[in-house]
Amino acid sequence: MKQRRRISESAGMSLSQFDLSFVAVGPQRTGTTWLYEMLRGHPQICMPEAVKETMFFDKRFGRGIDWYATYFDHGKEEQINGEVAPTYFDTSGVPERVNEIAPDCEIIISLRHPAERAFSLYLHHLKKGRVPPSLWDAIEQKPRILTAGNYSEHIPRWKSIFGKEQIHFLFLSDIHNRPREALRRVCDWIGVKWESSWFSGVNQSVNTKSMPRSPFLANLVSHLVTKIHGYGLHSIVKIGKKMGIKKALYSKKENKLPKMSEEEKRKLTDLYKEDINYVEKETKKSMKSWRK
């Protein structure tokens, strides 16, 4: 197992007895919530509990390493620290910031058919009332739906900072088809023991698949939750969940989110040709299924 080490003073930050051993950087909608739920229950791993994503390296870096370290205060000396942060993947400057704080950090990049990932992120925003019903209008409003899947642009940035030897690729297809094996490989990569009994929920789904009763209200609540998390008042969000606010916002399962049409998938896949070719070359894994 990796040992904690003392980081040096950097970017005006104070010395701290804190070491970040791994970061799963996403991108969004590639199984990161599942990975977080699995790893946070591992007895050798300490992860943020109050909130899944601290947003430290992309939005709150100026708050300093001591602020970030408070999210790991509950950890034990023998545990390693890690974060699952899907918005880090495609944000400019994040690889350099992570390297500045933790140059030995292991990087986990989760991958998914880029067209399916883009559509899933569109659905994520749609169910929160953030975008119009049309996929292409939604992309125009939130270009990140599309650009976060530009693997051939973003992966080289991480490689240039950490090198290939510190990057582990995790495919969503493996999470779906061979979840225990996929998780075991992650554990091996970050240097912790693997015990199947620790991961009883390995096959469970963790995301809502229904439309909101009111897109306007869903958007309002989503915006409010983001603000509350930004102020560090994570307990308030937890109380809201316990009160059933999320359940009240979303309709029954019969009112499901829309499905991607064949035309939409074809157009998106054509846009990602270069990225599919890049992943195939980089991982030495056939991406034939992604080209369909």
Side-chain angles (χ1 to χ4, degrees), residues 27-221:
Q28 291 176 283
R29 315 309 295 172
T30 56
T32 56
T33 300
W34 175 88
L35 185 62
Y36 170 76
E37 293 295 338
M38 294 300 102
L39 294 182
R40 72 170 181 161
H42 196 294
Q44 294 175 303
I45 298 174
C46 176
M47 302 182 71
E49 288 186 334
V51 64
K52 172 192 167 189
E53 301 168 47
T54 67
M55 303 289 183
F56 175 62
F57 288 102
D58 55 350
K59 294 183 178 179
R60 297 164 187 154
F61 194 65
R63 298 188 183 186
I65 187 63
D66 289 332
W67 175 87
Y68 182 55
T70 61
Y71 282 95
F72 303 87
D73 280 347
H74 58 282
K76 301 175 182 178
E77 182 61 30
E78 65 272 14
Q79 291 180 314
I80 63 171
N81 298 318
E83 184 181 13
V84 175
T87 59
Y88 290 173
F89 177 71
D90 59 313
T91 303
S92 178
V94 168
E96 292 82 358
R97 289 173 176 177
V98 175
N99 182 68
E100 187 177 344
I101 300 301
D104 298 325
C105 184
E106 302 292 352
I107 307 299
I108 301 170
I109 297 177
S110 45
L111 297 172
R112 177 183 189 178
H113 189 307
E116 294 176 358
R117 188 218 60 82
F119 195 82
S120 181
L121 185 54
Y122 150 68
L123 293 181
H124 172 73
H125 290 307
L126 181 64
K127 74 181 184 182
K128 291 185 179 294
R130 298 169 178 165
V131 296
S134 164
L135 169 64
W136 306 107
D137 289 345
I139 289 173
E140 185 175 349
Q141 185 171 318
K142 287 189 176 292
R144 199 175 191 180
I145 291 173
L146 191 67
T147 60
N150 292 337
Y151 301 145
S152 61
E153 174 185 350
H154 303 306
I155 292 175
R157 292 190 299 107
W158 288 95
K159 275 187 63 181
S160 68
I161 299 298
F162 289 94
K164 192 172 183 178
E165 64 279 1
Q166 283 178 239
I167 295 176
H168 175 71
F169 293 107
L170 175 65
F171 285 88
L172 184 65
S173 57
D174 290 336
I175 292 175
H176 286 163
N177 300 325
R178 297 174 293 277
R180 292 184 182 276
E181 182 182 340
L183 193 56
R184 179 187 58 76
R185 288 200 301 267
V186 170
C187 288
D188 288 345
W189 182 261
I190 61 179
V192 296
K193 293 180 180 179
W194 159 258
E195 291 286 348
S196 60
S197 60
W198 293 339
F199 307 105
S200 58
V202 72
N203 294 308
Q204 71 182 35
S205 176
V206 293
N207 282 307
T208 305
K209 294 183 175 62
S210 57
M211 285 288 288
R213 297 178 190 275
S214 166
F216 173 78
L217 186 58
N219 187 29
L220 183 65
V221 171

